[in-house]
C-alpha cells in the first residue's frame, strides 16, 4: 500500500489585520514589514472562534472534496502550537467531536511550523504498515492570543487559519507520497519559544508579568539557520530520490518570510512561477501554512491531479522537514 494525498481544504477567519493597522498599534511601518518579510496582511480569529473550530471547518472541506464517508476515517491528527487547551483534551479530539467522528485514534503533535510535514511522515508510516487507510490531517492555529502586540519583532509575523488533508491508502504507485524528511535539533530551543504557561513556568502573576505566555524569537538567528537548513534538506531529498528541480511542478515552502523563501528558491533555481506564495496575505500560520498554501493554489486551478509538489518547512524546536508529494485529488 502507498499513501496518497487525496484532498486539501482550508479555512481562514474573516478579520484582516493589515500592516497599516499594525502601524497604529506598535512602532513599525508597512514599508518595513513588507521589505523584511513580504507580509501585507494576516487573518485574526474572532474571540469565540477557536483552533478546533477552524480546524474542523478546514477538515470538512477536505473530507467533502475526497468524497469520503466520515465512518471511513480511522485516524485524526492535528498539528498545532496553539491548541484550544494546553494539555487536554487534544485539539484532534475536539475536531473529531465537531465533525462527528467517534471511536478512532485522535492525537495532536507539537512540532511548531513543521507540523504538516511531520504529519505526512506519520500518516505515510501508518498507511504503508497497513494499520490505517483513511487519515485526516489538520494543521490549525490561533496564534494571535500568543502574541504580544507591544513586541514589534513578533506580532507582525503571525496569523490565524487552518488547513487540512485526507491521506488515503492506494495501490497506485503513481499517486504515492514519494518521500518525507523530518528532523529536529533541540539545541536551538531557546531561539523560538513560548516559555510560560506549562509545567516549567506555570501560569501565575509572576509569569504573566514577565510576558512568558507570549512567543519570543531571536529572528535574525532563526533566519540564518532556516535558510541554511532548508536549502541542504531540499538538496538531500531531491538527490536521494533522483529528482531534479525542473521535475517539480510546485515548490510549496512554509510561508514564514518571503526572504527565506527567495533565498532557498534562488539557491535551488526554482522559477518564481513554480513557487506557491501566500505569505503576503496570511503571514506565518505555522502548522497551517503549507496546507493553506496548497489549498489556495488548488483553488486557483494551478495544482492538478498527478502534479509533483516539493514541500519544505522550518520551525521552533528547531524542527524542519521536506516532502515530495504527488497531488492525488481531483483537478478542479
Ligand atoms: N518594525 C520596524 N523595525 C523593526 C521591527 C518592526 N516590526 N522589528 C524589528 N525592527 C528593527 C530592529 O529593532 C532592528 O533595529 P536596530 O537596527 O535599530 O537594532 C532592525 O529593525 C533590524 O532588526 P533585525 O532583527 O536584524 O531584522 P531582520 O532583517 O532580521 O528582520 C525578522 C527581522 C524577524 C523579520 C527576520 O529576522 C525573520 O523573518 N526571521 C525569521 C523569523 C521566522 O521566520 N520565524 C518563524 C520560523 S518558522
Amino acid at each position: 500500500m502507498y499513501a496518497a494525498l487525496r484532498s486539501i481544504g482550508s479555512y481562514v477567519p474573516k478579520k484582516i489585520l493589515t500592516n497599516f493597522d499594525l502601524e497604529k498599534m506598535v512602532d513599525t511601518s508597512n514599508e518595513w514589514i513588507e521589505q523584511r518579510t513580504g507580509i501585507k496582511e494576516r487573518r485574526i480569529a474572532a474571540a469565540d472562534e477557536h483552533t478546533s473550530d477552524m480546524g474542523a471547518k478546514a477538515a470538512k472541506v477536505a473530507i467533502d472534496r475526497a468524497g469520503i464517508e466520515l465512518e471511513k476515517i480511522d485516524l485524526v491528527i492535528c498539528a498545532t502550537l496553539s491548541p484550544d487547551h494546553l494539555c487536554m483534551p487534544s485539539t484532534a479530539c475536539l475536531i473529531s467531536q465537531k465533525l462527528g467522528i467517534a471511536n478512532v485514534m485522535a492525537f495532536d503533535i507539537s512540532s511548531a511550523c513543521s507540523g504538516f510535514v511531520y504529519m505526512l511522515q506519520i500518516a505515510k508510516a501508518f498507511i504503508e504498515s497497513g494499520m490505517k487507510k483513511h487519515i485526516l490531517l489538520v494543521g490549525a492555529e490561533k496564534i494571535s492570543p500568543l502574541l504580544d502586540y507591544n513586541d514589534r519583532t513578533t506580532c507582525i509575523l503571525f496569523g490565524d487559519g487552518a488547513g487540512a488533508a485526507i491521506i488515503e491508502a492506494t495501490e497506485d504507485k503513481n499517486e504515492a507520497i514519494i518521500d518525507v524528511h523530518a528532523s529536529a535539533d533541540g539545541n536551538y530551543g531557546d531561539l523560538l519559544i513560548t516559555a510560560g504557561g506549562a509545567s516549567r513556568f506555570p501560569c501565575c502573576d509572576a509569569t504573566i508579568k514577565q510576558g512568558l505566555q507570549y512567543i519570543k524569537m531571536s529572528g535574525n538567528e532563526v533566519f540564518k539557520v532556516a535558510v541554511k537548513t532548508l536549502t541542504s534538506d531540499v538538496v538531500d531529498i531531491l538527490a536521494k530520490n533522483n529528482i531534479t528541480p525542473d521535475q517539480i511542478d510546485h515548490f510549496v515552502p512554509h510561508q514564514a518570510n518571503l526572504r527565506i523563501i527567495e533565498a532557498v528558491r534562488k539557491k535551488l533555481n526554482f522559477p518564481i512561477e513554480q513557487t506557491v506564495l501566500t505569505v503576503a496575505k496570511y503571514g506565518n500560520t505555522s502548522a497551517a501554512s503549507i496546507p493553506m498554501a496548497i489549498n489556495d493554489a488548488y483553488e486557483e486551478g494551478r495544482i492538478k491531479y498527478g502534479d509533483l509538489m516539493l514541500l519544505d518547512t522550518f520551525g521552533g524546536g528547531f524542527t524542519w522537514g521536506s516532502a515530495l508529494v504527488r497531488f492525488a485529488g481531483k483537478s478542479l
Side-chain angles (χ1 to χ4, degrees), residues 26-29 32-33 35-37 39 112-114 151-158 192 217-224 226 254-260 284 286 313-316 318-319:
V26 68
D27 180 17
T28 190
S29 68
W32 192 96
I33 300 173
Q35 267 180 13
R36 304 283 177 128
T37 71
I39 301 168
C113 302
S114 304
D151 176 3
R152 65 180 184 174
T153 66
T154 51
C155 73
I156 57 145
L157 296 171
F158 296 93
L192 183 45
M217 181 173 62
S218 310
N220 215 282
E221 286 163 81
V222 176
F223 188 98
K224 285 183 216 147
H254 170 47
Q255 309 286 317
N257 183 319
L258 186 61
R259 283 160 56 218
I260 297 180
N284 182 350
S286 193
T313 192
F314 187 89
F318 288 158
T319 55

Side-chain angles (χ1 to χ4, degrees), residues 110-269:
S110 167
S111 44
C113 302
S114 304
F116 190 71
V117 171
Y118 267 57
M119 288 194 293
L120 283 178
Q121 172 87 289
I122 297 167
K124 187 171 182 289
F126 266 108
I127 285 178
E128 289 176 357
S129 68
M131 288 177 73
K132 305 287 177 193
K133 289 199 164 52
H134 306 276
I135 302 177
L136 170 62
L137 303 184
V138 184
E141 301 285 8
K142 183 174 180 179
I143 303 178
S144 49
L146 305 179
L147 296 173
D148 176 357
Y149 282 93
N150 296 308
D151 176 3
R152 65 180 184 174
T153 66
T154 51
C155 73
I156 57 145
L157 296 171
F158 296 93
D160 301 334
I166 293 287
I167 311 295
E168 266 185 356
T170 178
E171 286 177 0
D172 184 352
K173 196 178 177 184
N174 296 319
E175 294 188 328
I177 295 173
I178 298 169
D179 197 9
V180 185
H181 279 188
S183 202
D185 186 345
N187 283 308
Y188 295 103
D190 288 342
L191 297 183
L192 183 45
I193 186 167
T194 315
S199 61
R200 194 187 293 197
F201 300 108
C203 180
C204 63
D205 287 349
T207 57
I208 290 172
K209 263 190 203 132
Q210 292 172 68
L212 297 190
Q213 70 276 31
Y214 296 127
I215 294 175
K216 299 265 187 326
M217 181 173 62
S218 310
N220 215 282
E221 286 163 81
V222 176
F223 188 98
K224 285 183 216 147
V225 186
V227 171
K228 201 166 139 232
T229 312
L230 284 171
T231 309
S232 62
D233 201 57
V234 168
V235 167
D236 282 357
I237 199 168
L238 289 173
K240 191 177 143 212
N241 293 282
N242 282 322
I243 290 175
T244 49
D246 58 296
Q247 291 173 280
I248 302 294
D249 296 303
H250 311 282
F251 174 45
V252 192
H254 170 47
Q255 309 286 317
N257 183 319
L258 186 61
R259 283 160 56 218
I260 297 180
I261 297 172
E262 283 293 277
V264 177
R265 184 182 75 73
K266 284 179 182 156
K267 282 202 172 135
L268 294 157
N269 285 325

Side-chain angles (χ1 to χ4, degrees), residues 31-68:
E31 199 191 0
W32 192 96
I33 300 173
E34 237 193 286
Q35 267 180 13
R36 304 283 177 128
T37 71
I39 301 168
K40 294 183 177 169
E41 57 189 43
R42 65 290 289 143
R43 300 298 176 109
I44 303 294
D48 61 353
E49 184 174 45
H50 307 296
T51 300
S52 63
D53 298 318
M54 294 188 282
K57 284 181 180 160
K60 177 85 174 57
V61 177
I63 292 166
D64 289 349
R65 284 181 179 159
I68 180 184

